[in-house]
Amino acid sequence: MSEFRTATTRRGKKELQKRAPKLIESGKKTLVLHGTKTSSVLNAVLTQIYHLKKESAVKYSRKNDKINPFEAGGETSLEFFSQKTDCSLFLYGSHSKKRPNNLVIGRTYDHHVYDLVEVGIENFRPMESFVYDKKLAPKEGSKPFMAFIGEGFESIIGLKHLKEVLLDLFRGEVVENLNLAGVDHAYVCTALSSTKVFFTHCALRLKKSGTVVPKMELVEVGPSMDMVIRRHRPPNESVRKEAMRSSKDNPKKKEKNVKKDPLQGKIGNVYIPDQKIGEMALPNKSKGVKRERREARQNHWSDEHASKKKKEEDS
């Protein structure tokens, strides 16, 4: 029988409050795990991704032999570590003859596996192999640009799924305003084929251009690698709807008499009441009525005066 405990200390209550659901999602933490067998290339990949996300990542160096994310029941240990470290993203590296240099990138929802993307690492170049001015080195915790080059990221299901996962992995904290002067690096993903993506990390160099807008150059600082998509498992439709559901505390207001059209955009309906012209008040009607009444009284008075004068003459 399981026993549920509530936090009794101030530190414990703060920790539970951090893990509670939020209206505005904060930056996601990443869990880095090793499989039973890994290669030197895969160890370097996991280590350097961990250094890129050091402020929001947890890395376990011990080997794990009971994790098989794509198999039923093989994600139990993974979900346990996710709940223990409060991480909603994970990287799991393994190496075998069938799948060499295998890297599984996944997301969790409510500490259960949400979706998975499995890629093979090829042509890996670590940070140490790149020569550049060290003054251009990106600062830790800065917000990056994300560039995806290729039509496949919009049309091919596997590439679209990989794009979503990479965006969640490297985007950092969710912010409303951004100072462009503090953006000093970018992640560039290029679709080489329907299953192969070239990934590289670049620093941004600003040069004079003679205008207000500076000239921008990309300088590779590493790491760089080719990611070959092997397997991917999208989220279940019911789980996806549950994860995408917005909170009732912040509902979206419905606009009356407004609809959206894919061509014309936002369209509104305007209702005008019936115009009864016969009952409308004219601007000079009151003056005309007064003048007519005044003339009618004068005519009536003159007629009465003339009739009385005629009676007096007859008598």
PDB file of all heavy atoms in Angstrom, residues 65-80:
ATOM      1  N   ASP A  65      20.576  -0.415 -17.663  1.00  0.00           N
ATOM      2  CA  ASP A  65      20.309  -1.553 -18.540  1.00  0.00           C
ATOM      3  C   ASP A  65      18.836  -1.907 -18.644  1.00  0.00           C
ATOM      4  O   ASP A  65      18.473  -2.852 -19.345  1.00  0.00           O
ATOM      5  CB  ASP A  65      21.086  -2.781 -18.046  1.00  0.00           C
ATOM      6  CG  ASP A  65      20.744  -3.124 -16.606  1.00  0.00           C
ATOM      7  OD1 ASP A  65      20.093  -2.288 -15.949  1.00  0.00           O
ATOM      8  OD2 ASP A  65      21.130  -4.221 -16.150  1.00  0.00           O
ATOM      9  N   LYS A  66      17.958  -1.187 -17.966  1.00  0.00           N
ATOM     10  CA  LYS A  66      16.537  -1.530 -17.985  1.00  0.00           C
ATOM     11  C   LYS A  66      15.696  -0.500 -18.724  1.00  0.00           C
ATOM     12  O   LYS A  66      14.486  -0.437 -18.560  1.00  0.00           O
ATOM     13  CB  LYS A  66      16.014  -1.661 -16.557  1.00  0.00           C
ATOM     14  CG  LYS A  66      16.657  -2.797 -15.773  1.00  0.00           C
ATOM     15  CD  LYS A  66      16.066  -2.891 -14.383  1.00  0.00           C
ATOM     16  CE  LYS A  66      16.712  -4.030 -13.598  1.00  0.00           C
ATOM     17  NZ  LYS A  66      16.150  -4.138 -12.224  1.00  0.00           N
ATOM     18  N   ILE A  67      16.340   0.333 -19.537  1.00  0.00           N
ATOM     19  CA  ILE A  67      15.604   1.384 -20.249  1.00  0.00           C
ATOM     20  C   ILE A  67      15.516   1.020 -21.725  1.00  0.00           C
ATOM     21  O   ILE A  67      16.535   0.887 -22.412  1.00  0.00           O
ATOM     22  CB  ILE A  67      16.299   2.752 -20.070  1.00  0.00           C
ATOM     23  CG1 ILE A  67      16.287   3.164 -18.598  1.00  0.00           C
ATOM     24  CG2 ILE A  67      15.598   3.813 -20.909  1.00  0.00           C
ATOM     25  CD1 ILE A  67      16.968   4.481 -18.321  1.00  0.00           C
ATOM     26  N   ASN A  68      14.300   0.815 -22.200  1.00  0.00           N
ATOM     27  CA  ASN A  68      14.000   0.583 -23.621  1.00  0.00           C
ATOM     28  C   ASN A  68      12.777   1.427 -23.970  1.00  0.00           C
ATOM     29  O   ASN A  68      11.639   0.953 -23.851  1.00  0.00           O
ATOM     30  CB  ASN A  68      13.719  -0.895 -23.902  1.00  0.00           C
ATOM     31  CG  ASN A  68      14.931  -1.761 -23.629  1.00  0.00           C
ATOM     32  OD1 ASN A  68      15.990  -1.557 -24.213  1.00  0.00           O
ATOM     33  ND2 ASN A  68      14.782  -2.720 -22.726  1.00  0.00           N
ATOM     34  N   PRO A  69      12.965   2.691 -24.345  1.00  0.00           N
ATOM     35  CA  PRO A  69      11.830   3.613 -24.495  1.00  0.00           C
ATOM     36  C   PRO A  69      10.771   3.156 -25.497  1.00  0.00           C
ATOM     37  O   PRO A  69       9.584   3.432 -25.313  1.00  0.00           O
ATOM     38  CB  PRO A  69      12.494   4.922 -24.955  1.00  0.00           C
ATOM     39  CG  PRO A  69      13.910   4.803 -24.529  1.00  0.00           C
ATOM     40  CD  PRO A  69      14.244   3.353 -24.602  1.00  0.00           C
ATOM     41  N   PHE A  70      11.174   2.461 -26.570  1.00  0.00           N
ATOM     42  CA  PHE A  70      10.223   2.078 -27.605  1.00  0.00           C
ATOM     43  C   PHE A  70       9.488   0.765 -27.307  1.00  0.00           C
ATOM     44  O   PHE A  70       8.590   0.398 -28.042  1.00  0.00           O
ATOM     45  CB  PHE A  70      10.945   1.961 -28.960  1.00  0.00           C
ATOM     46  CG  PHE A  70      11.236   3.275 -29.604  1.00  0.00           C
ATOM     47  CD1 PHE A  70      12.436   3.921 -29.390  1.00  0.00           C
ATOM     48  CD2 PHE A  70      10.301   3.883 -30.423  1.00  0.00           C
ATOM     49  CE1 PHE A  70      12.707   5.137 -29.992  1.00  0.00           C
ATOM     50  CE2 PHE A  70      10.561   5.101 -31.024  1.00  0.00           C
ATOM     51  CZ  PHE A  70      11.771   5.730 -30.805  1.00  0.00           C
ATOM     52  N   GLU A  71       9.872   0.075 -26.242  1.00  0.00           N
ATOM     53  CA  GLU A  71       9.242  -1.194 -25.903  1.00  0.00           C
ATOM     54  C   GLU A  71       8.294  -1.011 -24.727  1.00  0.00           C
ATOM     55  O   GLU A  71       8.516  -0.178 -23.856  1.00  0.00           O
ATOM     56  CB  GLU A  71      10.305  -2.245 -25.560  1.00  0.00           C
ATOM     57  CG  GLU A  71      11.227  -2.573 -26.726  1.00  0.00           C
ATOM     58  CD  GLU A  71      12.265  -3.608 -26.358  1.00  0.00           C
ATOM     59  OE1 GLU A  71      12.151  -4.178 -25.249  1.00  0.00           O
ATOM     60  OE2 GLU A  71      13.184  -3.841 -27.166  1.00  0.00           O
ATOM     61  N   ALA A  72       7.235  -1.825 -24.710  1.00  0.00           N
ATOM     62  CA  ALA A  72       6.254  -1.751 -23.633  1.00  0.00           C
ATOM     63  C   ALA A  72       6.900  -2.186 -22.325  1.00  0.00           C
ATOM     64  O   ALA A  72       7.508  -3.256 -22.243  1.00  0.00           O
ATOM     65  CB  ALA A  72       5.059  -2.643 -23.947  1.00  0.00           C
ATOM     66  N   GLY A  73       6.789  -1.369 -21.315  1.00  0.00           N
ATOM     67  CA  GLY A  73       7.377  -1.658 -20.017  1.00  0.00           C
ATOM     68  C   GLY A  73       8.827  -1.236 -19.896  1.00  0.00           C
ATOM     69  O   GLY A  73       9.382  -1.277 -18.783  1.00  0.00           O
ATOM     70  N   GLY A  74       9.449  -0.829 -20.996  1.00  0.00           N
ATOM     71  CA  GLY A  74      10.846  -0.432 -20.934  1.00  0.00           C
ATOM     72  C   GLY A  74      11.066   1.004 -20.528  1.00  0.00           C
ATOM     73  O   GLY A  74      12.217   1.455 -20.419  1.00  0.00           O
ATOM     74  N   GLU A  75       9.973   1.745 -20.327  1.00  0.00           N
ATOM     75  CA  GLU A  75      10.105   3.153 -19.955  1.00  0.00           C
ATOM     76  C   GLU A  75       9.867   3.388 -18.463  1.00  0.00           C
ATOM     77  O   GLU A  75       9.839   4.542 -18.009  1.00  0.00           O
ATOM     78  CB  GLU A  75       9.124   4.002 -20.763  1.00  0.00           C
ATOM     79  CG  GLU A  75       7.653   3.804 -20.416  1.00  0.00           C
ATOM     80  CD  GLU A  75       7.027   2.612 -21.103  1.00  0.00           C
ATOM     81  OE1 GLU A  75       7.742   1.930 -21.861  1.00  0.00           O
ATOM     82  OE2 GLU A  75       5.818   2.359 -20.887  1.00  0.00           O
ATOM     83  N   THR A  76       9.712   2.324 -17.679  1.00  0.00           N
ATOM     84  CA  THR A  76       9.405   2.478 -16.253  1.00  0.00           C
ATOM     85  C   THR A  76      10.521   3.215 -15.510  1.00  0.00           C
ATOM     86  O   THR A  76      10.266   4.168 -14.760  1.00  0.00           O
ATOM     87  CB  THR A  76       9.169   1.103 -15.607  1.00  0.00           C
ATOM     88  OG1 THR A  76       8.169   0.399 -16.348  1.00  0.00           O
ATOM     89  CG2 THR A  76       8.712   1.254 -14.172  1.00  0.00           C
ATOM     90  N   SER A  77      11.767   2.761 -15.710  1.00  0.00           N
ATOM     91  CA  SER A  77      12.897   3.420 -15.042  1.00  0.00           C
ATOM     92  C   SER A  77      13.062   4.849 -15.531  1.00  0.00           C
ATOM     93  O   SER A  77      13.404   5.760 -14.759  1.00  0.00           O
ATOM     94  CB  SER A  77      14.182   2.631 -15.298  1.00  0.00           C
ATOM     95  OG  SER A  77      14.093   1.329 -14.776  1.00  0.00           O
ATOM     96  N   LEU A  78      12.809   5.070 -16.813  1.00  0.00           N
ATOM     97  CA  LEU A  78      12.924   6.411 -17.381  1.00  0.00           C
ATOM     98  C   LEU A  78      11.920   7.365 -16.740  1.00  0.00           C
ATOM     99  O   LEU A  78      12.252   8.508 -16.386  1.00  0.00           O
ATOM    100  CB  LEU A  78      12.715   6.340 -18.891  1.00  0.00           C
ATOM    101  CG  LEU A  78      12.885   7.629 -19.689  1.00  0.00           C
ATOM    102  CD1 LEU A  78      14.304   8.145 -19.561  1.00  0.00           C
ATOM    103  CD2 LEU A  78      12.540   7.397 -21.151  1.00  0.00           C
ATOM    104  N   GLU A  79      10.683   6.914 -16.562  1.00  0.00           N
ATOM    105  CA  GLU A  79       9.660   7.747 -15.941  1.00  0.00           C
ATOM    106  C   GLU A  79       9.961   7.989 -14.464  1.00  0.00           C
ATOM    107  O   GLU A  79       9.649   9.060 -13.928  1.00  0.00           O
ATOM    108  CB  GLU A  79       8.294   7.084 -16.124  1.00  0.00           C
ATOM    109  CG  GLU A  79       7.829   7.049 -17.572  1.00  0.00           C
ATOM    110  CD  GLU A  79       6.549   6.261 -17.750  1.00  0.00           C
ATOM    111  OE1 GLU A  79       6.109   5.619 -16.766  1.00  0.00           O
ATOM    112  OE2 GLU A  79       5.986   6.277 -18.874  1.00  0.00           O
ATOM    113  N   PHE A  80      10.602   7.003 -13.814  1.00  0.00           N
ATOM    114  CA  PHE A  80      10.996   7.195 -12.407  1.00  0.00           C
ATOM    115  C   PHE A  80      12.036   8.301 -12.291  1.00  0.00           C
ATOM    116  O   PHE A  80      11.937   9.184 -11.424  1.00  0.00           O
ATOM    117  CB  PHE A  80      11.534   5.876 -11.848  1.00  0.00           C
ATOM    118  CG  PHE A  80      12.219   6.026 -10.520  1.00  0.00           C
ATOM    119  CD1 PHE A  80      11.480   6.202  -9.357  1.00  0.00           C
ATOM    120  CD2 PHE A  80      13.611   6.023 -10.438  1.00  0.00           C
ATOM    121  CE1 PHE A  80      12.115   6.355  -8.132  1.00  0.00           C
ATOM    122  CE2 PHE A  80      14.250   6.169  -9.218  1.00  0.00           C
ATOM    123  CZ  PHE A  80      13.498   6.339  -8.055  1.00  0.00           C
TER     124      PHE A  80
END
